[in-house]
Amino acid sequence: MEEKEIISHCLKGDVESFEMLVKKYESNVLSLCWNVLKNKQEAEDVAQEAFIQAYFNLNRYDMRRSFKNWLYSIAYNRCLDRIKKEKSFFKFLKNVIREKKLSFDEENKEKRIEDSEMFSQLLNELNEKERTAVTLKVNEGYSAKEIAEVLNCAESTARVHLFNAKRKLKKMLEEMDV
Amino acid sequence: MCKFYKFLYWLIPIKRFKSVLIRKHFANCSKCQREIEIEDRLKKILITPDKVREEGSLWPKIKLKLYTPEKVESKQGVKLSFLTIKKWQWVLAVFLVLIVTVISITYKNLPIFQKSVEIKKDISPLETRVIVEFAKVKNKPAKVYIFQSKNRKMSIIWIEPYNSTGG
């Protein structure tokens, strides 16, 4: 079934058709949320919220636009909402404790901790927009125009975010000597 | 990729030539090699869809929420109605209220705030009442009629002798 066909089915109230869209895009949306929020548990919550919001707002979706980009922009905005909420100190503290617990629970402890440390060190250097831009560029090979569509900004602004992100990451990687 | 080669790539119509151009350029250009290297490193560090695929599907949880739409919709409604007023609008509203309060406290004596008091003064019967204690016409006591407008700004005094029939 084609994507537009699935969407029209969903618009008629067929929830089961939406499963196809979720299965198709869940890993992309989850990876974006994970990179932006730097936390797996929160990324899962936000990705779920994004899909639910997309389902209830499908009637607002412009069929001429890319569905994936529309979904990404919803997920990105949900991430921003979450970051705003999570800015209080106590919540931050709670997350740190939870993250530590999770990472110790997993197998291959050392490797995972190393990876997550580098991951968070690198992403801490970037702001939300830069994180989103670089994720879309690296994971999806998006152009500045497509990134701008997701971030809801001008193409030139998206290019600036991408440039800044790359510059910072390059510097960090050289310092770490990966 | 370097801008010049990007342009060349765009210019060349045949795919085979395009790939030769890219391969030759990337073999010689250290700047482009570094770009690719960094992107590869980032791919290893960042969370990619392939890494996430092993985590299991989100669908069961989403499905559960989709089948209880009332709760979700009402929650979203509350959020949206709250979000329609943006932060800067709140700040502006509070700022305006503060300005009005400060002005009203500082300039209590401004006419705009005293208008109602003045009107009351106008209406006060004691200050605007016209009293004629006595009147004479040709050395004889006369009748006195006083007419006043509603706001008491204009008074007409009419005097006529007792024996007269008209004004």
Side-chain angles (χ1 to χ4, degrees), chain A residues 120-131:
Chain A
S120 56
Q121 248 182 327
L122 275 173
L123 292 184
N124 276 341
E125 288 294 309
L126 313 178
N127 63 34
E128 301 89 41
K129 283 177 183 169
E130 289 165 352
R131 284 202 289 269

Side-chain angles (χ1 to χ4, degrees), chain A residues 15-16 18-19 22-23 26-28 30-31 34-35 40 47-48 51-53 55-56 78 85 118-119 122-123 134 137-139 166 169-170 173-174 178, chain B residues 34-35 38-39 41-43 45-59 61-63 65-70 72-73 76 79-80 83:
Chain A
V15 178
E16 298 300 324
F18 194 60
E19 184 182 356
V22 173
K23 292 248 162 101
E26 61 184 354
S27 50
N28 303 66
L30 185 57
S31 62
W34 199 337
N35 283 324
K40 183 195 162 192
Q48 278 174 40
F51 276 112
I52 290 163
Q53 194 181 338
Y55 179 79
F56 286 117
R78 302 295 307 194
K85 277 187 201 167
M118 191 186 282
F119 169 71
L122 275 173
L123 292 184
V134 86
K137 178 74 187 170
V138 173
N139 284 357
K166 276 192 172 178
L169 289 172
K170 233 184 232 178
L173 286 172
E174 277 164 6
V178 182
Chain B
R34 251 178 52 201
E35 284 269 329
I38 281 175
E39 278 206 7
R41 284 174 183 176
L42 280 177
K43 256 184 195 171
I45 295 164
L46 285 178
I47 306 290
T48 56
D50 296 329
K51 288 179 196 170
V52 165
R53 241 163 239 144
E54 303 155 7
E55 300 289 332
S57 178
L58 296 172
W59 176 244
K61 286 177 187 169
I62 294 170
K63 191 181 173 184
K65 285 182 183 170
L66 288 183
Y67 277 112
T68 48
E70 288 144 35
V72 176
E73 271 179 329
Q76 279 178 345
K79 272 184 189 171
L80 284 175
L83 287 174

Side-chain angles (χ1 to χ4, degrees), chain A residues 141-166:
Chain A
Y142 268 22
S143 65
K145 196 182 171 187
E146 287 166 314
I147 293 169
E149 206 180 307
V150 174
L151 296 181
N152 195 19
C153 64
E155 196 180 325
S156 53
T157 316
R159 214 169 278 137
V160 170
H161 291 316
L162 204 57
F163 175 77
N164 284 338
K166 276 192 172 178

